[in-house]
Amino acid sequence: MLVLLPPSEGKASSGRGAPLKPESLSLPGLGEARAAVLDELVELCAADEDKAREVLGLSEGLRGEVAKNAGLRTAGARPAGEIYTGVLYDALDLASLDAAAKKRAARALLVFSGLWGAVRVTDKIPSYRCSMGVKLPGLGALGAHWRAPMADVLPEAAGDGLVLDLRSSAYAAAWKPKGEVAGRTATVRVLHAPTRKVVSHFNKATKGRIVRSLLTAGAAPEGPAELVVALRDLGYEVEVAAPAKAGKAWTLDVLVTEIH
């Protein structure tokens, strides 16, 4: 099982660990594309703070994020699972998983990123600010920048099992599973059961709980149909829409009665 996650907008501080070693990151096939983004982001943020804030879409109160980006090469690096914070990651709570579940998380979770493309939760990265929606002056839109390298690398990372896609739309645009991989991909919506409306903020929390439940239970669904069974066994109310034809992803609606 491969679980595709969005990053968090806010991130923990880098801390005092050893600096980034780009060659140590998972998915080495993304290395060249990572280097291109890193080079331009560091140069932009070191040269012109006001322009960098404009490009990155940062308010006056977030000027410190520009300095953070300028120092990415020397900042301490920590496991990505510690760097990403926010609603989904609070609900997932990787730190409190038992040893077996942490090993499953290391194998299964892949976090998408405007800067790194995608990293595993054990990859050591510094704290940064660069969303997939950014358009760098030299490279252009990051979503487009990542499509070709992702198309080369991600199908192999997906292996031959289930792909559980929990990304937001901006990050989903960087790689869309196709063909046989798409046929074993499931996307999830979280709906408020009484109204059948998509929930927003609590959508992230529910997705974090779903991933935690699967990791804790040691569930290993081989495809979308098996995922539906596993989630129902874990107590989730799930409605499913199987694709009308082969080569299309499944859509799972998880219904919640209490929004929290």
Side-chain angles (χ1 to χ4, degrees), residues 41-49 52 66 69-70:
L41 183 64
V42 170
E43 182 178 351
L44 170 69
C45 291
D48 189 331
E49 184 179 275
V66 177
N69 284 346

Side-chain angles (χ1 to χ4, degrees), residues 2 6 30 37 43 51 61 75 87 101 109 128 141-142 146 184-185 243:
L2 184 68
L30 299 178
V37 181
E43 182 178 351
K51 182 177 180 181
V87 176
L109 306 188
Y128 68 97
L142 290 180
W146 285 112
R184 47 188 168 83
T185 297

Side-chain angles (χ1 to χ4, degrees), residues 2-6 108 110-112 154 163-167 175 177:
L2 184 68
V3 182
L4 311 181
L5 298 174
L110 201 62
V111 184
F112 276 60
L154 266 294
V163 177
L164 175 54
D165 190 352
L166 303 178
R167 298 172 295 167
W175 180 61

Side-chain angles (χ1 to χ4, degrees), residues 126-180:
S127 184
Y128 68 97
R129 189 69 171 244
C130 184
S131 72
M132 191 65 79
V134 164
K135 185 176 182 179
L136 291 175
L139 291 176
L142 290 180
H145 170 75
W146 285 112
R147 282 183 199 128
M150 289 283 193
D152 289 338
V153 171
L154 266 294
E156 181 179 353
D160 56 4
L162 168 71
V163 177
L164 175 54
D165 190 352
L166 303 178
R167 298 172 295 167
S168 54
S169 58
Y171 292 90
W175 180 61
K176 295 183 178 180
K178 295 181 179 180
E180 185 269 336

Side-chain angles (χ1 to χ4, degrees), residues 192-203:
H192 186 216
T195 64
R196 284 303 197 275
K197 290 182 178 179
V198 176
V199 299
S200 54
H201 174 82
F202 302 99
N203 167 59

